[in-house]
């Protein structure tokens, strides 16, 4: 349980950290992209404004041979130089009066832009973007240079960077807190499940974990755990019933052996060793069969029952059982006229056990006749065992396959049954992918029908 609690806390931590890292990386990338786009947009805007000013001045020069009066707005943010045909400055704004051209105009074309810095403007700080515009006169080509400061670009991008430096950590804190809270709320049902599971033990398997109302993965987990608890409770109850029933069944032969032994010791003159040996042998055989049945069922429950799948002639097994009964002292007629060829894939030893248990059950509950039949169709091999006894009521046909289950009319110990034979029949049939059913026999008793797949597959 402590491990589950640590795992839940670990999920919250990992989810919050992952959310912070992912959101942080996305915001940083988005901020860098926005800053680059903002810088490019503002630079382009300033460049276009400088180009319009240059075109305006160049137009004035083309219309009048007299140089126009050059005026600018803020002398710290803008300048103009007019460079004559011989490369000298013929006109300039006051902030660059008497200065050489800020750039070499030779080779410059209209629309080009150049970023310069260290100009004697605004205390020599900052960058300026310079846009040239040429125009022709009688004396030759004149170039107008208009420069605008890029300080607004730096200020804007610095503001974005400052916001990112302050805002991103705050945003990540909020994201982490919200993620922590949301994941904690989402995992709250897990904590409820953990608390309930912590109280469940082998003596309290009837408890169930709460299922959240939401149809999500946690609800599915809770439902699966409850189904698992159902299986565990059923397995525990079945194990307890098996131990209780086995103990009850074992008491009878043990008590019988002890009773006859005590009588023989108390009255040795009146006791016959042969009679005592006969009773002990009969009860010992009963104990042996019961122990073998319990061991087989234990192997089945543990999943260690080995089934060798080979081609088996089921008709040989059925006819062999019939021959065994005819050779014994059983006063029943064994009818095998309806037994035809039938081959299945399975384990011959287990199939012999299945047929013997069905036949022995029919012998115990029949009045005079047991009828065996075997037939095939395109997909199945069908084995039927009929008796002419009292039959089995439809309400009891499922119950008789339970372990140590006997109907009221079949509880006579002298019948020799242990209450495990039909359980073994059902388990062996399932191991061979077969189905066992009970019907009314034509003679008025019970019919047990086992349908085997011919190819060993359902």
């Amino acid at each position: 349980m402590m491990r589950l609690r640590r795992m839940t806390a670990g999920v919250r931590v990992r989810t919050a950290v992952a959310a912070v890292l992912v959101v942080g990386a996305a915001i940083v990338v988005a901020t860098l992209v926005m800053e680059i786009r903002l810088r490019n947009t503002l630079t382009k805007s300033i460049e276009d404004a400088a180009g319009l000013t240059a075109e305006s001045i160049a137009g004035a020069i083309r219309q009048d041979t007299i140089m126009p009066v050059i005026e600018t707005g803020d002398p710290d943010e803008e300048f103009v130089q007019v460079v004559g045909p011989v490369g000298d400055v013929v006109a300039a704004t006051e902030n660059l009066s008497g200065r050489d051209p800020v750039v070499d105009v030779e080779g410059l074309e209209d629309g080009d832009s150049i970023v310069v810095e260290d100009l004697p403007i605004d205390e020599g700080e900052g960058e300026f973007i310079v846009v040239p515009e040429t125009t022709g006169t009688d004396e030759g080509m004149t170039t107008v240079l208009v420069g605008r400061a890029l300080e607004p670009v730096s200020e804007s991008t610095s503001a974005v960077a400052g916001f990112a430096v302050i805002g991103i950590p705050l945003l990540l804190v909020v994201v982490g807190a919200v993620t922590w809270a949301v994941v904690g709320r989402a995992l709250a049902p897990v904590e409820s499940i953990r608390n309930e599971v912590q109280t469940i033990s082998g003596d309290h398997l009837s408890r169930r974990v709460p299922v959240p109302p939401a149809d999500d993965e946690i609800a599915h987990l809770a439902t699966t755990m409850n189904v698992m608890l159902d299986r565990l409770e059923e397995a525990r109850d079945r194990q307890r019933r098996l131990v209780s029933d086995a103990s009850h069944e074992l008491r009878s032969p043990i008590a019988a052996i002890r009773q006859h032994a005590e009588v023989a010791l108390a009255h040795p003159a009146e006791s016959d060793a042969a009679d005592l040996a006969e009773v002990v042998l009969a009860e010992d055989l009963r104990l042996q069969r019961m122990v073998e049945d319990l061991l087989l069922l234990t192997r089945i429950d543990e999943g260690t029952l080995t089934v060798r799948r080979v081609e088996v002639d089921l008709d040989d097994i059925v006819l062999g059982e019939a021959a065994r009964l005819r050779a014994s002292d059983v006063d029943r007629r064994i009818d095998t006229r309806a037994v035809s060829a039938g081959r299945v894939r399975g384990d011959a030893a287990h199939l012999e056990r299945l047929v013997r248990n069905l036949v022995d059950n029919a012998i115990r509950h029949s009045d005079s006749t047991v009828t065996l039949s075997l037939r095939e169709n395109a997909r199945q091999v069908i084995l039927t065992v009929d008796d002419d006894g009292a039959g089995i009521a439809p309400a009891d046909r499922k119950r008789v396959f339970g372990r140590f289950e006997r109907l009221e009319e079949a509880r006579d110990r002298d019948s020799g049954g242990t209450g495990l034979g039909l359980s073994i029949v059902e388990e062996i049939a399932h191991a061979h992918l077969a189905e066992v059913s009970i019907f009314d026999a034509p003679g008025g008793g019970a019919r047990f029908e086992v349908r085997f797949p011919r190819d060993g597959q359902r």
Side-chain angles (χ1 to χ4, degrees), residues 26 82 102 144 177 232 302 337 341 354 397 399:
V82 179
V102 295
V144 179
L232 290 176
E302 293 177 348
R337 290 175 297 175
L354 179 146
R397 289 175 181 175
R399 186 163 65 89

Side-chain angles (χ1 to χ4, degrees), residues 6-55:
R6 290 195 300 269
M7 184 173 64
T8 303
V11 170
R12 296 180 70 182
V13 171
R14 289 193 297 271
T15 305
V17 170
V20 168
L21 292 177
V22 172
V23 173
I27 292 176
V28 169
V29 172
T31 302
L32 292 175
V33 172
M34 181 177 66
E35 184 176 351
I36 293 172
R37 290 181 62 87
L38 178 63
R39 177 181 292 275
N40 292 338
T41 301
L42 293 177
T43 301
K44 180 63 175 174
S45 176
I46 293 174
E47 180 182 351
D48 292 342
L52 291 175
T53 302
E55 289 178 1

Side-chain angles (χ1 to χ4, degrees), residues 186 188-190 192-193 209-223:
V190 177
S192 300
I193 293 173
V209 300
V211 179
D215 186 17
D216 55 11
E217 288 77 5
I218 297 178
H220 297 166
L221 171 64
T223 302

Side-chain angles (χ1 to χ4, degrees), residues 73-79 95 121-122 128 147-152:
D74 190 343
D76 292 334
E77 295 184 358
E78 186 177 19
F79 68 83
N95 52 6
I121 300 175
D122 193 15
F128 285 77
R148 281 184 174 266
L150 293 176
E151 184 178 1

Side-chain angles (χ1 to χ4, degrees), residues 2 5 8 45 67 83 94-95 122 144 155 161 165 187 202-203 253 255-256 263 268 320 323 330 358 377 388 430 457:
M2 290 298 298
R5 179 180 294 177
T8 303
S45 176
M67 291 296 176
V83 181
E94 185 177 356
N95 52 6
D122 193 15
V144 179
E155 291 177 349
V165 171
L187 293 179
D203 296 328
V263 170
V330 174
L358 286 176
N377 58 30
D388 58 352
H430 288 171
Q457 299 179 356

